[in-house]
Amino acid sequence: MRLFIVISLYVLGITGSPVCVDQMTTRTVQSGGSVTIPCSYSDPGKPDEDVRVIWGETDQEYCSSVTAEDTIISSSGNVIEKYKGRLYREKDPNRNRTEYITITGLEPTDGPRFCCLLYHNRHENVFKNSRLATLLQFQGTEYITQLDEVMAVSREDVIIPCYYSKDISDITKVTWYYADRERHYCTHTRIQEWSNAHQYGRYSLVNFTQDISLRIRNLHVTDERSFCCVISTSTARATLESEQFTRLIVEEYQSSWNQPTNNITSQEGKSVILSCSYTLPSGRYTEIDVVRVNVYWRVGNVTGPYAYHPYREMVHSTYRHRTSITGMTNLMIMNVTKADNTSFHCFMVVKQCAGDYRYDDNIQYGGGTRLIIKEPSEPSEPPPTSSFGQESLVLAAYVAVKFFIAVILVVLGCVYGRAKNTKRST
């Protein structure tokens, strides 16, 4: 009886598991360029064939403001005139419940914010949306932007980037805050304020005023918080704060991580794929609660630079244009060199739906791989031939030619003799 009730509730779309929809808060773009905006969601508790992702645009911060008139691409794939020929939708082939829209030929009148909404085909209604819309920040305008997420391991020093779109030398004051991510409130608790390069305890700016990113030294697990950046400039009448808050996710360091469990051999100049996988620990969450998985690969050791990062600007220059993710988590390195003869370590941040617009972030260590690079093999040369052998070959060729000519002469003689005898007899 209980099983029948559970199945009935699932079919009706009434389950106890919360549903979360997730998208990035900001994307930096330029006029005439393109942008790809991903949308991920946890299991909606409804049959897959009944659920569609639709998209809307708004000038409001929250997606709850989106109405039917704001829809830019419907569940059937119809695109409004404004974006016709410029907007494309596709599903991620490697990730369940992840979809993208790509908009080309961007114009300042686009958006400025886009919302991902879950639509029930049979009931013809939106039953869930992302809380915050994705804002397009056009180059040339004034804004601050941060990364959505930074993963780290305890004991290391970590940098939380903050980028200002205008002349950074105009900045007169920088303030970093702990943010309230659920209520999207930046100035929640002040960490420190800087008007010079002074360091305060474990906190400092990377290089005031050349780089206003926050550095935290000797990281602790308790540093796992959300952070936001606020600045004042010599020309601004008011402070400017970031629209995107950075979630710092910290995992306790384990010395066993530095011992790679796999070995892979490759030749210099080739491409290689390093594998990585994760399993959810038994407990509160299951696979249906996963909203998205971000993959990170570090090189040398578990606190080394990034060989791959979801945000390209964080990837070490050695790997910035040589690495990509295949499948869900595997790392592809192109044109490997001797410098790649080291270990690579995989981490995944698994974002799980904890309730309406609430998430739990869990770091999974996917193991280490030792990459062994061999030099390209030299083409084999034919064995050297002695002068005696060469003379034998020449002599054999000479005899063969003479024999061939003799055979031809004999044949011609026979033909000629037969022809002459035939003529006499006539």
Side-chain angles (χ1 to χ4, degrees):
M1 181 67 179
R2 178 177 298 177
L3 178 60
F4 173 77
I5 293 174
V6 170
I7 294 174
S8 300
L9 291 176
Y10 181 83
V11 171
L12 293 172
I14 307 171
T15 64
S17 298
V19 181
C20 291
V21 183
D22 180 71
Q23 59 184 102
M24 297 181 66
T25 310
T26 64
R27 296 286 284 173
T28 301
V29 298
Q30 59 183 2
S31 293
S34 64
V35 65
T36 297
I37 304 173
C39 170
S40 301
Y41 54 96
S42 61
D43 191 314
K46 301 176 180 2
D48 289 341
E49 61 270 19
D50 290 342
V51 178
R52 294 290 184 273
V53 174
I54 65 175
W55 292 82
E57 68 174 352
T58 179
D59 57 2
Q60 303 297 312
E61 184 178 11
Y62 297 99
C63 288
S64 57
S65 65
V66 174
T67 64
E69 289 74 26
D70 299 319
T71 302
I72 60 174
I73 181 168
S74 67
S75 60
S76 60
N78 292 327
V79 179
I80 64 171
E81 191 64 33
K82 177 181 177 181
Y83 294 103
K84 196 158 286 185
R86 298 196 296 130
L87 189 151
Y88 309 92
R89 178 172 66 183
E90 64 176 328
K91 290 187 176 181
D92 191 315
N94 299 307
R95 300 167 192 262
N96 294 330
R97 303 185 298 274
T98 298
E99 188 168 307
Y100 307 87
I101 57 168
T102 297
I103 305 173
T104 61
L106 287 171
E107 303 170 1
T109 53
D110 291 343
R113 298 176 190 266
F114 295 89
C115 284
C116 168
L117 313 143
L118 297 188
Y119 182 84
H120 196 294
N121 266 346
R122 286 194 296 130
H123 297 165
E124 298 184 341
N125 73 311
V126 172
F127 65 91
K128 197 68 181 181
N129 58 7
S130 173
R131 181 166 182 258
L132 295 173
T134 297
L135 171 65
L136 301 188
Q137 296 177 316
F138 280 85
Q139 292 179 0
T141 60
E142 184 180 34
Y143 60 83
I144 295 177
T145 187
Q146 297 178 225
L147 303 185
D148 174 64
E149 173 185 286
V150 169
M151 68 79 56
V153 175
S154 64
R155 304 185 190 180
E156 72 170 312
D157 295 351
V158 69
I159 292 175
I160 302 175
C162 178
Y163 305 105
Y164 177 51
S165 63
K166 293 291 189 177
D167 187 354
I168 198 167
S169 63
D170 288 339
I171 295 176
T172 57
K173 185 172 65 177
V174 180
T175 310
W176 277 89
Y177 291 88
Y178 294 123
D180 187 328
R181 186 177 61 159
E182 292 180 7
R183 294 187 295 170
H184 200 66
Y185 185 61
C186 176
T187 53
H188 179 55
T189 303
R190 193 178 78 170
I191 299 172
Q192 197 53 251
E193 179 180 288
W194 287 267
S195 55
N196 51 46
H198 287 170
Q199 181 173 326
Y200 300 90
R202 294 189 300 126
Y203 299 96
S204 66
L205 298 186
V206 171
N207 184 15
F208 186 87
T209 60
Q210 301 304 310
D211 188 340
I212 57 174
S213 302
L214 178 67
R215 176 186 281 117
I216 307 176
R217 301 181 187 279
N218 190 23
L219 202 62
H220 306 153
V221 174
T222 53
D223 289 317
E224 183 167 296
R225 304 280 293 272
S226 292
F227 297 79
C228 61
C229 176
V230 177
I231 67 166
S232 298
T233 66
S234 56
T235 56
R237 296 181 180 179
T239 58
L240 181 67
E241 69 180 55
S242 175
E243 297 278 355
Q244 178 100 36
F245 305 159
T246 300
R247 177 68 173 170
L248 175 62
I249 305 161
V250 186
E251 183 71 0
E252 186 70 58
Y253 171 83
Q254 296 183 32
S255 58
S256 59
W257 289 347
N258 276 316
Q259 303 301 319
T261 55
N262 300 313
N263 289 330
I264 287 187
T265 301
S266 179
Q267 282 189 351
E268 194 173 356
K270 302 287 187 179
S271 294
V272 66
I273 294 178
L274 312 183
S275 61
C276 173
S277 62
Y278 76 94
T279 54
L280 290 176
S282 59
R284 177 179 174 185
Y285 297 108
T286 63
E287 191 66 33
I288 69 170
D289 300 309
V290 175
V291 180
R292 77 170 187 222
V293 177
N294 279 342
V295 185
Y296 302 80
W297 281 85
R298 306 187 82 158
V299 59
N301 54 64
V302 295
T303 59
Y306 290 103
Y308 178 84
H309 194 288
Y311 310 97
R312 180 169 289 184
E313 58 268 28
M314 295 290 287
V315 177
H316 191 273
S317 58
T318 304
Y319 296 96
R320 192 161 295 164
H321 301 290
R322 293 199 297 127
T323 57
S324 60
I325 295 297
T326 65
M328 282 191 63
T329 56
N330 301 330
L331 179 70
M332 172 179 280
I333 309 175
M334 296 179 290
N335 192 26
V336 295
T337 67
K338 290 180 181 179
D340 299 323
N341 196 87
T342 183
S343 59
F344 293 82
H345 301 266
C346 171
F347 290 90
M348 289 145 292
V349 175
V350 183
K351 183 181 289 292
Q352 297 150 324
C353 184
D356 283 345
Y357 309 117
R358 294 189 298 108
Y359 305 93
D360 279 347
D361 298 301
N362 184 300
I363 291 184
Q364 295 282 316
Y365 178 59
T369 300
R370 174 74 185 182
L371 182 56
I372 302 167
I373 305 299
K374 292 186 176 180
E375 294 184 0
S377 57
E378 296 292 335
S380 57
E381 297 180 358
T385 306
S386 66
S387 59
F388 175 78
Q390 290 178 350
E391 292 174 359
S392 299
L393 289 174
V394 172
L395 179 60
Y398 175 73
V399 171
V401 170
K402 288 192 70 174
F403 176 77
F404 182 70
I405 293 173
V407 170
I408 292 176
L409 291 175
V410 170
V411 171
L412 289 175
C414 291
V415 171
Y416 176 75
R418 182 176 298 177
K420 192 173 180 180
N421 292 334
T422 303
K423 188 174 180 180
R424 284 176 180 176
S425 62
T426 59

